[in-house]
Amino acid sequence: MFFVSKVSPFLFGLALFNLGFSLLLRHLPADKVVFFISLIFGFIGFTLMGAIYQIIPNSQNRKLSNPEITYWVVGFSIAGLILLYFSRFEISSLLILISLSLFFIHTIRNVRNWTPVTVKFLGVSVFYLFLFSLFMFLHFNFNLIPFQVVVHTLTVGALLNAVYGVELAWIPMLLMETLNIKKANRLFWIKQISTLTFLLSFISMNYSFLALASFIEFTAFLFFAYILYEVVSNRKIQTPLPYVIKVLLVALIPLPFGLILGVFSSSNPVVLPFTVDIHINLLIYGFTAFTIFGGMLHLLPRIVWGWKFATLKEVKIPTVNELVEEKEIPRFLQSGVIAFLLFVSLDSLSSPFRILSIIPYMFIIGYFLKITYVCIFNKLMEVEHGTNKSS
């Protein structure tokens, strides 16, 4: 590991906080804009920033230049999000624009080799993160961009590009298999066309165009799923799948249903008021959240180990795998899926019973924190205690 991002664990923690906080905001009589931005930027945006700050430098086999800029990026983002909670949308969007502009310039300047398809996907993801902040600023200050475009620039643009790119790298790597580079590069261009078409359809608000764009986006997913299926099914060593891959593959299950629902809703706009919540549950609380859980399970222990343990020699230090409770991950996945289905079921009820959906989802977040952050903290305390004892 050439570079360890010290801000990434903090960003991941903030992302999980905002995921839980969004559940409360969803049921409060507050401005729904606060809920949406807290969910997509506070949860997804912070996760992407933390992951990209770790992945991009290591994909280039070099350290991140001017790492102190990361603290400015995090500071402006947190300040912007706090102001957003108080509905100070104009100044909040300006601070987030400054943050993601710095993030965009800082990240892109550190890319020297654009050949790997994963780097291409992540580069586009960084661009869409910046575009999201620009669109949000224009929406809140000048009402020039529809809010749907703001939201989907981050989700369909930044998120899906990052997910496709990272999984096309991680899954073959963890299985020790080769990726079909030609198909992966083809997917990259299909995805760029589908994303651009999708955003343009929201700008035009032509429902026929939107239905077509949603269908193209669904087709891009099918091609992505086919590439992954080839890698997994044709592997030479038929060993059990690593736990990270199992989480990432399970996370993909809600995605096609959410996309199909999007196509249906676009073709039949009369159903939109009734399908929006299901759409959010499947694509954000389902696909996105469990994908992020899988990504954090892979990145977080490696970051902390490289940051806190790599240079220690005089005490017994844990291995990377010991920084998460591996034996608990299958149980987390099984109980997490059950809790998610319960969450979706309860969320479909009418008020006041709908608020009960918070309980199973908070269980998911709490269980994940237990097998990651709590385990890492305990290992840090064990090593610290061992160091003090030996001295």
Side-chain angles (χ1 to χ4, degrees):
M1 186 178 290
F2 289 87
F3 175 74
V4 174
S5 171
K6 295 179 181 179
V7 300
S8 293
F10 182 62
L11 285 167
F12 292 160
L14 286 175
L16 293 172
F17 167 80
N18 281 293
L19 176 62
F21 192 48
S22 72
L23 294 168
L24 300 176
L25 290 174
R26 193 177 191 183
H27 296 280
L28 292 175
D31 194 326
K32 290 302 178 186
V33 170
V34 177
F35 159 72
F36 277 109
I37 301 299
S38 173
L39 181 60
I40 65 166
F41 177 64
F43 174 48
I44 301 174
F46 277 16
T47 302
L48 290 177
M49 290 159 65
I52 289 170
Y53 261 142
Q54 179 61 33
I55 296 172
I56 284 290
N58 287 288
S59 73
Q60 305 296 301
N61 294 334
R62 63 196 302 267
K63 294 183 178 181
L64 188 73
S65 64
N66 305 114
E68 65 276 3
I69 294 177
T70 62
Y71 300 108
W72 288 99
V73 170
V74 173
F76 278 119
S77 294
I78 293 174
L81 197 59
I82 291 173
L83 287 171
L84 179 107
Y85 290 147
F86 294 96
S87 300
R88 299 290 302 277
F89 299 123
E90 293 84 359
I91 185 64
S92 168
S93 61
L94 174 61
L95 291 176
I96 293 173
L97 174 60
I98 293 172
S99 170
L100 292 182
S101 297
L102 280 173
F103 178 70
F104 173 70
I105 297 169
H106 190 210
T107 305
I108 297 302
R109 283 188 63 234
N110 279 272
V111 178
R112 297 291 183 271
N113 180 12
W114 287 97
T115 302
V117 68
T118 296
V119 177
K120 294 176 185 174
F121 271 113
L122 289 178
V124 172
S125 176
V126 172
F127 170 72
Y128 276 115
L129 268 174
F130 160 72
L131 205 60
F132 153 78
S133 67
L134 177 61
F135 285 170
M136 184 168 65
F137 175 77
L138 294 175
H139 171 77
F140 286 132
N141 289 274
F142 304 102
N143 200 27
L144 293 177
I145 301 292
F147 188 66
Q148 296 95 323
V149 176
V150 176
V151 170
H152 288 91
T153 299
L154 196 151
T155 54
V156 176
L159 172 66
L160 283 184
N161 271 288
V163 169
Y164 290 178
V166 169
E167 293 195 11
L168 288 176
W170 284 2
I171 292 179
M173 177 189 68
L174 292 171
L175 293 176
M176 294 182 288
E177 295 292 333
T178 57
L179 176 70
N180 188 316
I181 300 299
K182 288 185 178 179
K183 289 181 180 178
N185 279 305
R186 196 174 302 153
L187 171 66
F188 172 78
W189 291 111
I190 292 173
K191 173 56 184 161
Q192 305 324 305
I193 293 171
S194 68
T195 303
L196 182 60
T197 305
F198 196 84
L199 296 180
L200 288 174
S201 69
F202 264 112
I203 292 174
S204 68
M205 288 309 294
N206 181 302
Y207 285 106
S208 298
F209 188 17
L210 183 56
L212 174 62
S214 301
F215 177 76
I216 296 173
E217 191 63 45
F218 180 68
T219 303
F221 161 73
L222 290 179
F223 189 39
F224 166 70
Y226 170 70
I227 295 173
L228 290 187
Y229 172 76
E230 280 193 329
V231 173
V232 174
S233 63
N234 295 333
R235 66 188 193 277
K236 301 178 183 66
I237 305 175
Q238 296 296 320
T239 56
L241 293 175
Y243 65 83
V244 170
I245 292 182
K246 289 181 181 178
V247 176
L248 292 176
L249 293 181
V250 168
L252 288 175
I253 295 174
L255 179 56
F257 296 101
L259 292 175
I260 290 172
L261 184 63
V263 175
F264 175 74
S265 301
S266 303
S267 306
N268 303 272
V270 68
V271 305
L272 276 174
F274 307 99
T275 58
V276 168
D277 286 336
I278 303 174
H279 186 69
I280 294 171
N281 289 343
L282 290 174
L283 294 184
I284 306 298
Y285 291 108
F287 157 69
T288 300
F290 279 85
T291 298
I292 286 173
F293 292 152
M296 288 185 185
L297 282 170
H298 181 71
L299 281 178
L300 193 57
R302 285 158 178 78
I303 294 171
V304 174
W305 193 92
W307 177 15
K308 294 293 186 180
F309 299 117
T311 58
L312 296 179
K313 296 179 181 179
E314 298 179 358
V315 295
K316 182 181 178 181
I317 61 173
T319 64
V320 171
N321 292 338
E322 289 177 324
L323 292 184
V324 293
E325 295 186 20
E326 281 195 311
K327 64 181 180 181
E328 288 289 327
I329 294 175
R331 299 173 192 169
F332 163 74
L333 193 55
Q334 293 171 7
S335 58
V337 169
I338 295 172
F340 173 71
L341 294 175
L342 181 58
F343 160 76
V344 173
S345 300
L346 291 173
D347 194 65
S348 64
L349 300 176
S350 57
S351 297
F353 303 104
R354 187 184 177 201
I355 197 171
L356 294 174
S357 64
I358 294 176
I359 298 172
Y361 209 92
M362 290 303 291
F363 165 79
I364 298 173
I365 298 173
Y367 202 155
F368 181 75
L369 288 171
K370 174 183 178 294
I371 64 176
T372 52
Y373 278 88
V374 173
C375 182
I376 288 171
F377 178 79
N378 289 337
K379 292 296 181 182
L380 286 169
M381 291 299 99
E382 287 177 14
V383 172
E384 178 67 20
H385 179 72
T387 303
N388 292 337
K389 186 176 180 179
S390 62
S391 60

